[in-house]
Amino acid sequence: MPIYEGIGTITDKLVVVMDIGAAYTKLGFSGEFAPRCIIKSEVLCKESGIMRNIRDYKDKEDLYDLLVDFVHVLYFKYALLSPKDRPVVVVESLLCPTIFRETLAKVLFCHYKVPVLLVVPSHLVCLATLAIDTALVLDIGFSEAIAIPVCHGVPVIHAWQALPLASQAVHDNLRTALATHNTGVTLSDWNLEDVKVRCCFVTPQKRSIEFQKSTPNLTPCPEVKYPLQGSNSIIIPGKVRETMFELFFEEDNDHQCLSTMILDAILKVNVDLRLQLAENIFLVGGTVMTPGFKARLKEELYQQLNNERYSKLKIKTFKFHSPPCKDNYTAWLGGAIYGCTELLSMKGLSRETYLKENRLPDWANMKDNLRTL
Amino acid sequence: MSYIILPDVVHYACTCGILKPISKLYFCRHCLELRCGFCVCHEADSHYCDKCAENLPSSEARLKKNRCGNCFDCPSCHQQLSTRAATVGPKNPDDPKAAPRKVFYLLCLLCRWSSRDVGIPDQAAVSGGWPERENIYAHRLQEIQDMYKAIVLSDKQQKLDKDKKKQRRYMSFTDRTGITASMLRKRIGWPDVPNPLLKAKPTELNNKAIAKEEVEEFPEDLLTSPVNLSLATTMEQRLVQPEWQPTTIDKLFPIHKHLSVKRSQRCRSCEHNVSKPEYNPNSIKFKIQLFAYYHIPEVRIITVEPLRAGKVSELLLKFSNPTQHQTSITLFPYKVDDVIACEDNRTEVISQSSEEKGSGSQPSSITHTSLTRQPSITIKPRPIKTRVVADVVVPNASFVLPPRDDAAEYDDSGDAHNIQNDPKIVVWRKSNKAVIKLQVTPNSDLNIGDEVTTAFTIQHIYINTITTVENKEPQKCEHKVKVFLTLGNLVGGS
Ligand SMILES: [Zn+2]
Ligand SMILES: [Zn+2]
Ligand SMILES: [Zn+2]
Ligand SMILES: [Zn+2]
């Protein structure tokens, strides 16, 4: 760890940057190149003694209490500073529910007396890590995959595409598959994620096609004996290891999957920008780190071009960006870059203003706008 | 603080409306109100390493990214690593006089991970000088960061100039779609968080990342080589090093131990500390400790007769006075608060400026708070949701509790205080403690097995020894607190 890095920045204002994801929360400081910690977005419920994910809230008040506890942990276990005098940058998904963002703002301003808050949309700020302003951003997180084109620094919201094709779907898939191969074994969420991360990968397209045949003419990859508590263990067959991510590429009833999301998003953008977007595809989120994922998505994209509905795109090549960081904290890093600029003082919402108006600026109504467009 | 009479069946209602056992409450002597961990303001006081107990000034802690320079955690199991010594042959084996050298390496005593496993060279000094890893993108990211800073700064400057001269509006860059970015933003209701790149000078844009047709190739060996799970890292092992997120165990590196922080707690309404630890990490003492346990009479349940729906049961409670002053306790029946409707969220947060507070009754505290000129926020207490399902008949008379006297604990000579007891209320008394008999009646609509909770309000005389400019003498105040008792489950029969 470069422990003495950034000595020159000690006089700068320390700005807390947080990206509270559905599964993992990234926390750190502006001007730094990686988050200080990536932790599960969950808190210990004092009454029941179990860990509760902060997205599993019952109502507004419950969410408020969960966030109070969670932000307390963020500040006093990880950031180790008083929230009172530090500006905060929150990186947030475009599809973040209004109740969540408003409650988070209330917790930060009212409970923790944060002086300034700047909320930045993840799809926009992650481009800062590349220093570009036009790209098609596909964010595959825990609960959903969201594709949004960003053109000249403006997210083209009416072109957004979202499908529940993300970690959670893979976990469910894996749970079912392992239950059929190992009867009577129930795996915890932790085990499922661990199996996914350590054993599973995205297989190339030609093998995937072969697997779909009734008698596949291929040898699956070696099976894995996965140990559980004590001397118990389960077998993870080679086919399961290879095919758990297939649901990303199988078209649903509406003929939608990850590759069509990208192309549909491009289709909804002005003709002049389409080629530029196809040549600036930016994949972010933890799931895109799966071995073989990017190679497979590329294959699938080219495959879709043969499809009639995309022939008018006249796309010849797809080009992909690779960020100067790990894919699961790209959005956080973008927030950290924004956080060290003067944007915070220019566009940040101060506590005084918030208390006077008692609400966040109106762009919370983004969803209403979506419907009218 | 874990408390000697778990399970916690006696709860006090904090001013904020949350019920907590007395051991988890503070008592602000300036506002004369109960406070709890939820409604005080926590502050980070001092940073320390909990392994070597080194105290770091906050600027140094910040410089070291909240990590101890000397202690390491195991990257494999996250326990602490120990430094181990080994003897190796002298540098020059041909020289018979050369003494053998001592070298040091890091070893985890729990999982046996060692710095030698990943090829970190042994060090000649105990304290190490262990190699640090660099972020390989640091240079590129620094460039980008400086560029964004510069662009936004010049944009801000331009805006300032524009405002000064009140000239015509600044020509915004028109994007190739034919409408300006701000128009588009307005149309889609997007926030005005501009992309700094839009205002960049063309020279600054050489920094743009170039997209490539190639992506990470599919690792073909996955298909043939068997998986050795013990070589693949778990998610925890990856995420504990966010910058590197090693996928195989040969890339695990020792982790500098994360620091801990001592916290102080401040009352939200008067900004006085209710708890402040001593600076020294080795000390477990406090400079300020306004725990409710030292100021509020404590209630414990001695016995309760079996509870039956609609039937009277006898309840014995022990009250003790933790203060140095005699107090008198009066019980009142519990009544649900005048239902401060909290439906309207807008009224939940009441903002006051500190000037308004100046007219309040606490002039002494204002002199302190005036240093911080932020408007203070009072969050309205939430309504207590606990259902009270049993009535208590409270005595009309009050009873006296003598001051706490630590020496009396060892003195069996009996009651020295000559207090006239009302035998109907007080059944037993010793030094600062008294046992009170009450009558409790669970509601008749309860079912067998239901938990029975009852409540009443205690009023006690509190001697406030804090002297202010106006009040040189200790002041007598009456303080009220609601107490909730979980008495157990309803039984059947008669
Ligand atoms: Zn409280
Ligand atoms: Zn240490
Ligand atoms: Zn270990
Ligand atoms: Zn106070």
Side-chain angles (χ1 to χ4, degrees), chain A residues 1-5 9-10 12 14 24 31-36 38 60-61 64-65 68 72 76-82 84 94 106 109-111 113 121 124 128-133 152-155 157 190 194 197-199 201-202 204 207 221-222 224-227 241-242 273 279 289 292 294-295 298 302 317-321 324-326 328-329 333 337-338 340-343 345-347 351-352 355 358 363 369 373, chain B residues 38 41-44 47 59 62-67 69 132-135 137-138 140-142 144-145 147-149 152-153 155-156 159 175-177 181 184-185 187-198 207-219 222-227 229 232-236 238-239 242-245 256 258-261 263 266 268 271 345-346 348-349 351 374-375 377 379 382 385:
Chain A
M1 162 145 322
I3 200 162
Y4 295 109
E5 164 211 294
T9 62
I10 195 81
D12 292 357
L14 208 54
Y24 287 100
E32 293 186 359
F33 303 142
R36 291 283 181 88
I38 302 179
K60 210 169 178 174
E61 198 170 285
Y64 186 88
D65 290 353
V68 164
H72 184 92
F76 294 104
K77 187 165 174 205
Y78 296 99
L80 302 190
L81 44 81
S82 307
K84 217 164 63 172
L94 280 159
K106 191 170 154 194
F109 279 128
C110 300
H111 197 97
K113 303 185 179 181
L124 174 64
T129 62
L130 303 172
I132 60 171
D133 60 4
H152 301 291
V154 185
I157 303 198
W190 186 90
D194 197 50
V197 166
R198 289 161 86 189
C199 306
F201 58 91
V202 184
R207 289 178 66 88
C221 67
V224 178
K225 195 175 174 195
Y226 181 85
R241 291 182 56 208
E242 285 188 52
L273 284 158
E279 295 190 353
M289 296 165 85
K294 289 173 187 168
K298 187 177 140 186
Y302 280 108
T317 51
F318 292 103
K319 288 185 182 172
F320 299 86
H321 280 285
C325 59
K326 297 286 173 193
N328 55 356
Y329 66 81
L333 184 59
I337 294 174
Y338 271 63
C340 66
T341 67
E342 290 286 325
L343 272 179
S345 60
M346 293 159 70
K347 301 287 175 196
R351 189 157 149 264
E352 282 76 18
L355 290 178
N358 210 350
W363 66 285
N369 289 315
L373 273 166
Chain B
F38 183 82
C41 183
H42 296 255
E43 283 168 20
H47 296 80
S59 59
R62 184 176 159 188
L63 199 65
K64 291 186 170 178
K65 296 192 167 181
N66 288 339
R67 293 194 182 262
E132 308 285 354
R133 275 182 301 173
E134 300 283 334
N135 186 329
Y137 304 111
R140 161 89 181 140
L141 284 168
Q142 190 65 51
I144 293 177
Q145 196 178 297
M147 179 183 109
Y148 272 75
K149 268 190 197 166
V152 178
L153 198 65
D155 179 41
K156 189 184 183 184
K159 277 212 179 96
D175 69 35
R176 271 166 256 174
T177 52
L184 190 55
R185 249 180 228 122
R187 226 185 80 198
I188 60 181
W190 188 249
D192 203 17
V193 179
N195 187 313
L197 287 184
L198 287 180
N207 254 327
K208 278 188 174 184
I210 311 290
K212 287 200 208 86
E213 247 181 284
E214 301 80 44
V215 290
E216 287 159 35
E217 295 271 317
F218 177 75
L222 275 178
L223 295 176
T224 47
S225 53
V227 175
L229 278 182
T233 53
T234 63
M235 209 59 190
E236 283 84 5
R238 292 177 197 194
L239 294 182
E243 244 161 318
W244 296 281
Q245 300 184 26
H256 280 281
H258 203 266
L259 298 178
S260 304
V261 73
R263 277 179 292 134
R266 208 179 271 284
R268 270 168 194 265
E271 305 260 330
N345 283 321
R346 275 159 205 275
E348 232 176 278
V349 175
S351 163
Q374 284 184 330
I377 310 167
I379 296 172
R382 29 182 97 186
K385 287 208 185 104

Side-chain angles (χ1 to χ4, degrees), chain A residues 152-171:
Chain A
H152 301 291
V154 185
V156 185
I157 303 198
H158 71 263
W160 71 289
Q161 306 285 322
L163 286 176
L165 298 177
S167 266
Q168 198 164 30
V170 177
H171 289 188

Side-chain angles (χ1 to χ4, degrees), chain B residues 13-18 20 25 34-40:
Chain B
C14 177
T15 316
C16 68
I18 292 177
K20 300 223 165 162
L25 290 165
L34 284 177
R35 306 281 176 217
C36 69
F38 183 82
C39 60
V40 293

Side-chain angles (χ1 to χ4, degrees), chain B residues 46-101:
Chain B
S46 59
H47 296 80
Y48 66 97
C49 168
D50 58 21
K51 189 189 177 199
C52 62
E54 198 198 339
N55 211 334
L56 288 97
S58 60
S59 59
E60 195 186 339
R62 184 176 159 188
L63 199 65
K64 291 186 170 178
K65 296 192 167 181
N66 288 339
R67 293 194 182 262
C68 178
N70 306 321
C71 307
F72 291 91
D73 275 346
C74 172
S76 181
C77 70
H78 316 315
Q79 299 300 310
Q80 285 163 6
L81 288 176
S82 318
T83 309
R84 287 274 147 155
T87 318
V88 293
K91 263 186 193 139
N92 182 2
D94 302 330
D95 181 1
K97 275 180 225 151
R101 288 182 306 136

Side-chain angles (χ1 to χ4, degrees), chain B residues 56-318:
Chain B
L56 288 97
S58 60
S59 59
E60 195 186 339
R62 184 176 159 188
L63 199 65
K64 291 186 170 178
K65 296 192 167 181
N66 288 339
R67 293 194 182 262
C68 178
N70 306 321
C71 307
F72 291 91
D73 275 346
C74 172
S76 181
C77 70
H78 316 315
Q79 299 300 310
Q80 285 163 6
L81 288 176
S82 318
T83 309
R84 287 274 147 155
T87 318
V88 293
K91 263 186 193 139
N92 182 2
D94 302 330
D95 181 1
K97 275 180 225 151
R101 288 182 306 136
K102 260 204 166 155
V103 291
F104 299 91
Y105 62 98
L106 297 169
L107 176 72
C108 175
L109 296 177
L110 194 76
C111 73
R112 315 304 291 177
W113 182 91
S114 124
S115 58
R116 291 173 164 183
D117 293 353
V118 293
I120 299 174
D122 291 349
Q123 300 294 314
V126 190
S127 55
W130 299 100
E132 308 285 354
R133 275 182 301 173
E134 300 283 334
N135 186 329
I136 49 168
Y137 304 111
H139 181 70
R140 161 89 181 140
L141 284 168
Q142 190 65 51
E143 255 177 35
I144 293 177
Q145 196 178 297
D146 292 344
M147 179 183 109
Y148 272 75
K149 268 190 197 166
I151 295 168
V152 178
L153 198 65
S154 75
D155 179 41
K156 189 184 183 184
Q157 198 55 48
Q158 254 168 324
K159 277 212 179 96
L160 285 178
D161 292 350
K162 188 185 71 180
D163 288 351
K164 234 183 256 168
K165 294 176 193 160
K166 296 222 164 150
Q167 283 181 343
R168 273 184 300 126
R169 68 180 187 88
Y170 166 63
M171 283 296 288
S172 94
F173 280 64
T174 308
D175 69 35
R176 271 166 256 174
T177 52
I179 49 170
T180 63
S182 63
M183 272 171 64
L184 190 55
R185 249 180 228 122
K186 256 178 219 143
R187 226 185 80 198
I188 60 181
W190 188 249
D192 203 17
V193 179
N195 187 313
L197 287 184
L198 287 180
K199 315 226 161 95
K201 297 180 203 88
T203 48
E204 281 163 328
L205 290 174
N206 305 338
N207 254 327
K208 278 188 174 184
I210 311 290
K212 287 200 208 86
E213 247 181 284
E214 301 80 44
V215 290
E216 287 159 35
E217 295 271 317
F218 177 75
E220 293 286 341
D221 62 316
L222 275 178
L223 295 176
T224 47
S225 53
V227 175
N228 187 346
L229 278 182
S230 58
L231 295 181
T233 53
T234 63
M235 209 59 190
E236 283 84 5
Q237 289 168 341
R238 292 177 197 194
L239 294 182
V240 86
Q241 315 198 38
E243 244 161 318
W244 296 281
Q245 300 184 26
T247 51
T248 48
I249 59 153
D250 58 317
K251 297 196 188 74
L252 292 175
F253 247 60
I255 307 154
H256 280 281
K257 184 154 190 59
H258 203 266
L259 298 178
S260 304
V261 73
K262 281 199 171 191
R263 277 179 292 134
S264 61
Q265 278 78 14
R266 208 179 271 284
C267 172
R268 270 168 194 265
S269 20
C270 69
E271 305 260 330
H272 283 94
N273 273 117
V274 291
S275 161
K276 192 172 178 63
E278 281 189 358
Y279 190 67
N280 183 352
N282 288 317
S283 169
I284 55 162
K285 289 185 185 152
F286 292 86
K287 281 190 214 156
I288 300 169
Q289 45 174 355
L290 299 180
F291 302 146
Y293 189 65
Y294 297 128
H295 299 277
I296 305 291
E298 190 202 342
V299 180
R300 290 192 194 190
I301 300 175
I302 301 289
T303 56
V304 59
E305 286 181 343
L307 298 156
R308 294 187 177 87
K311 301 273 162 53
V312 177
S313 302
E314 194 181 83
L315 170 66
L316 292 184
L317 297 177
K318 181 154 88 179

